[in-house]
Amino acid sequence: MTNPLANRIALVTGASRGIGYATAIALAKAGAHIVAVARTQGGLEELDDEIRKDGGSATLVPLNLTDSDGIARLGAGLHERYGKLDILVGNAGVLGPSSPIGHIELKAFNDVMAVNVSANFQLIRCMEPLLKQSDAGRAVFITSGAANKATAYVSPYAASKAALETLARAWTQETANTKLRINLFNPGPIRTRMRATLMPGEDPATLDTPEQVAEFIVPMCAPEWIETGKFYDYKTRTLMSFRAPT
């Protein structure tokens, strides 16, 4: 059995459940050492147990991503311990309120932006030097179709994902002449807690699982992946380029 990601360090945010949890396990099975970040200690410990069952290894980091100083300390710690970072999966995200815009409090809006945008901005700032130390740094950010559809009643979430996409694309332009490859991944409707919160009457059995999604994220984290600045749509299994409106 081959381990295509052996000796690679992978940081996964929102790793205690859902797509982050499944992606961390899949990356570990491929040989990567997982730096698992999440708010919930119990979920991280459960993840660690699953990774170890298959002979993998993980470093658990209980951290609220709104703690920007904590992200900076994490970057410093990774620099001291490994001197590099090979993979960054920016998965952590919150749905926020499901209401008409006029009914949403400013604090609720800012809370969504803090996790979905500002935390990823800080991750980019603090992890870019480490990713550039890798021989093949790879970054994948989990986005949503809500960003392009401007979905009604989830405006903070939709706006945050649109901002995240633009942030990642700008970073791609800035790193075009490096070995770093940065891409976005849209899973679509998946059997997660967030989806159940948004669509409580939906039959989860009709949706694909986070484990199925993770199998498509892992190749985007490999040294062999050469595309950058692209958008992978899981539902259609299509790798897309961004195009300006006509």
Side-chain angles (χ1 to χ4, degrees):
M1 183 176 178
T2 60
N3 292 315
L5 300 181
N7 302 316
R8 307 197 79 75
I9 311 300
L11 170 61
V12 181
T13 67
S16 63
R17 63 173 183 255
I19 292 173
Y21 183 94
T23 301
I25 290 173
L27 288 169
K29 285 181 178 178
H33 175 79
I34 306 302
V35 179
V37 179
R39 291 177 296 176
T40 53
Q41 179 73 34
L44 288 173
E45 291 175 354
E46 191 176 308
L47 171 69
D48 189 46
D49 290 342
E50 286 299 314
I51 288 175
R52 291 181 186 279
K53 280 181 185 177
D54 292 316
S57 62
T59 299
L60 308 184
V61 184
L63 177 66
N64 188 325
L65 288 174
T66 60
D67 179 1
S68 58
D69 290 339
I71 293 175
R73 288 193 298 271
L74 174 58
L78 291 173
H79 173 72
E80 183 177 346
R81 185 168 182 180
Y82 302 112
K84 66 164 186 172
L85 180 65
D86 300 295
I87 299 162
L88 169 63
V89 179
N91 163 77
V94 295
L95 177 62
S98 300
S99 301
I101 293 173
H103 295 180
I104 298 171
E105 296 291 334
L106 179 60
K107 182 182 184 306
F109 179 86
N110 287 338
D111 288 346
V112 173
M113 299 300 285
V115 176
N116 296 0
V117 185
S118 298
N120 283 303
F121 169 77
Q122 180 70 341
L123 280 166
I124 290 170
R125 290 184 65 248
C126 297
M127 303 305 160
E128 181 185 62
L130 295 169
L131 287 163
K132 286 183 174 179
Q133 289 301 311
S134 171
D135 60 346
R138 301 290 179 261
V140 179
F141 293 97
I142 307 303
T143 186
S144 167
N148 298 305
K149 296 174 184 175
T151 305
Y153 306 116
V154 290
S155 57
Y157 180 75
S160 71
K161 289 301 185 179
L164 173 62
E165 289 187 3
T166 300
L167 182 67
R169 291 169 60 199
W171 189 28
T172 299
Q173 296 290 334
E174 294 173 6
T175 57
N177 295 323
T178 73
K179 296 177 181 178
L180 185 53
R181 297 291 178 265
I182 303 154
N183 294 279
L184 291 148
F185 186 98
N186 175 28
I190 299 296
R191 199 182 308 172
T192 62
R193 185 182 301 181
M194 182 184 290
R195 180 69 182 183
T197 300
L198 180 64
M199 305 288 289
E202 186 175 51
D203 180 2
T206 64
L207 304 175
D208 281 1
T209 66
E211 288 74 20
Q212 290 173 290
V213 169
E215 293 304 316
F216 287 81
I217 296 175
V218 170
M220 299 175 71
C221 301
E224 294 77 21
W225 183 272
I226 61 173
E227 299 286 355
T228 192
K230 298 297 178 66
F231 177 102
Y232 188 88
D233 184 69
Y234 172 76
K235 184 177 181 180
T236 61
R237 308 297 197 271
T238 305
L239 186 67
M240 303 177 180
S241 298
F242 286 90
R243 289 180 293 181
T246 56

